[in-house]
Amino acid sequence: MSRNPVTNPAVRFDELFDPRLANIRIVLSRTQNPGNIGAAARAMMTMGVRDLALVNPERYPHPQARAQASGALNVLEEAPVVATLEEAIHDCAWVVGTSARARHLGDEPMTPEAFAEKAKEISKTGRIALVFGYEQSGLTNEELDRCNAVVAIPTNPGYSSLNLAQAVQVLCYVLRRAAVSEVPRVSVKTDNPIYQPPTAEQTEQFYEHMERALLGTGFLDPKNPLVAMRRLRMLFNRAQPDLNELNMLRGLLTTVEKPKRRRIMTAGSEE
Ligand code: SAH
């Protein structure tokens, strides 16, 4: 096994792939640029997809494919090279083509999300092939005839064609997201151990403080402060400041009421 700079060395190669994605095969048909093959292998591995098949690639094996695969060389080395699409998909229960344009006679292409949901169900019992076409002109009508469905990544209608490996990346991502059944979670401020929500009383004190300060600056009209205050309340209620943030805002209001003079540091001066 090759040295792999991007994966955790403590994890065995077999463990790097999600068993829930084991029945997903990425098929690249007649790929022209070997760099795209390597980049597709890398895209797959970042999403835990392992099974790659290459149909009649134009130049392969090729050092550019290895270079672009980065740490995903094993995905590349395991990938069979076959002469026809039929061979690559022969054991698959569901074959899905990919296209930047709607041209499959009859059916509308599926959205990536609908595709991923269906793939999640079918892959519990059968293998799925996701087929990607030639860089210049995409999948041929004959290749699309072999597909049970077509998926299109919605893009800018005036410029709809993604780079091949980037299309692999997007679709492997939606497959992974559906397979693990959770929307990837970005850390939220409530995760922070110092997070503490303010009480209604503390929030009210903040609004009273703001009203005082803004009456002082003349921003609020003393005859009618209500409407502006209500809009400011709406803004801060939407932001839901935590206690720490609320205290910072109160500190800010205090400097509005009583500006703080700071000593200006000049070059050569000391603390
Ligand atoms: N000029 C070709 C685009 C080929 S891009 C055309 O208009 O069809 C090479 C491959 O990347 C396509 O065959 C498809 O597999 C994939 N691809 C590119 N853009 C895509 C998109 N928006 N949705 C799904 N697959 C896409």
Side-chain angles (χ1 to χ4, degrees):
M1 184 185 144
S2 59
R3 291 293 303 148
N4 187 337
V6 289
T7 52
N8 181 345
V11 182
R12 283 182 39 239
F13 183 67
D14 284 340
E15 292 165 358
L16 289 169
F17 299 93
D18 200 298
R20 290 166 292 191
L21 294 163
N23 268 343
I24 304 292
R25 176 175 302 153
I26 300 298
V27 178
L28 304 184
S29 185
R30 299 173 296 116
T31 311
Q32 188 179 33
N33 174 354
N36 277 340
I37 300 177
R42 180 179 185 172
M44 288 169 62
M45 186 152 165
T46 58
M47 294 298 128
V49 178
R50 179 174 187 166
D51 188 351
L52 173 66
L54 305 174
V55 180
N56 208 8
E58 242 182 61
R59 287 175 291 151
Y60 191 80
H62 195 283
Q64 219 179 316
R66 296 179 70 84
Q68 291 276 83
S70 190
L73 265 186
N74 294 77
V75 172
L76 212 56
E77 284 164 358
E78 285 181 353
V81 179
V82 295
T84 61
L85 180 60
E86 287 67 45
E87 286 169 77
I89 62 176
H90 76 278
D91 55 346
C92 294
W94 198 41
V95 179
V96 181
T98 56
S99 175
R101 297 172 284 146
R103 60 176 172 176
H104 200 229
L105 299 175
D107 285 351
E108 280 291 299
M110 304 179 85
T111 63
E113 289 73 20
F115 155 70
E117 281 308 316
K118 193 158 177 191
K120 183 178 174 175
E121 289 316 307
I122 296 178
S123 66
K124 285 177 185 157
T125 52
R127 203 181 296 287
I128 292 172
L130 187 58
V131 188
F132 294 81
Y134 180 57
E135 288 95 326
Q136 301 279 306
S137 47
L139 293 170
T140 62
N141 287 333
E142 290 69 34
E143 286 171 323
L144 285 168
D145 288 342
R146 298 278 166 175
C147 299
N148 303 113
V150 175
V151 58
I153 301 163
T155 47
N156 177 356
Y159 191 67
S160 63
S161 173
L162 273 79
N163 162 268
L164 175 60
Q166 288 171 351
V168 172
Q169 183 78 76
V170 171
L171 291 172
C172 285
Y173 169 71
V174 291
L175 283 168
R176 179 182 186 81
R177 196 172 59 170
V180 302
S181 250
E182 56 190 5
V183 178
R185 195 154 177 270
V186 227
S187 93
V188 290
K189 69 180 180 185
T190 49
D191 290 342
N192 193 316
I194 65 160
Y195 172 81
Q196 209 187 325
T199 62
E201 194 180 0
Q202 287 164 329
T203 304
E204 208 43 48
Q205 285 163 354
F206 162 65
Y207 290 133
E208 282 164 17
H209 192 170
M210 183 185 291
E211 188 165 348
R212 265 199 322 275
L214 298 183
L215 282 168
T217 62
F219 177 79
L220 290 177
D221 177 357
K223 287 194 291 275
N224 186 19
L226 216 82
V227 177
M229 271 313 294
R230 185 163 292 147
R231 296 185 72 179
L232 285 167
R233 270 175 188 265
M234 276 163 59
L235 172 67
F236 285 97
N237 286 345
R238 197 159 61 228
Q240 286 192 293
D242 64 21
L243 192 56
N244 224 6
E245 291 163 336
L246 207 70
N247 286 337
M248 187 176 74
L249 288 168
R250 294 205 57 177
L252 181 154
L253 291 173
T254 303
T255 62
V256 169
E257 291 174 309
K258 218 196 270 179
K260 211 170 182 169
R261 303 267 164 252
R262 291 191 192 265
R263 276 206 6 239
I264 296 164
M265 305 283 287
T266 52
S269 70
E270 287 176 28
E271 277 288 316

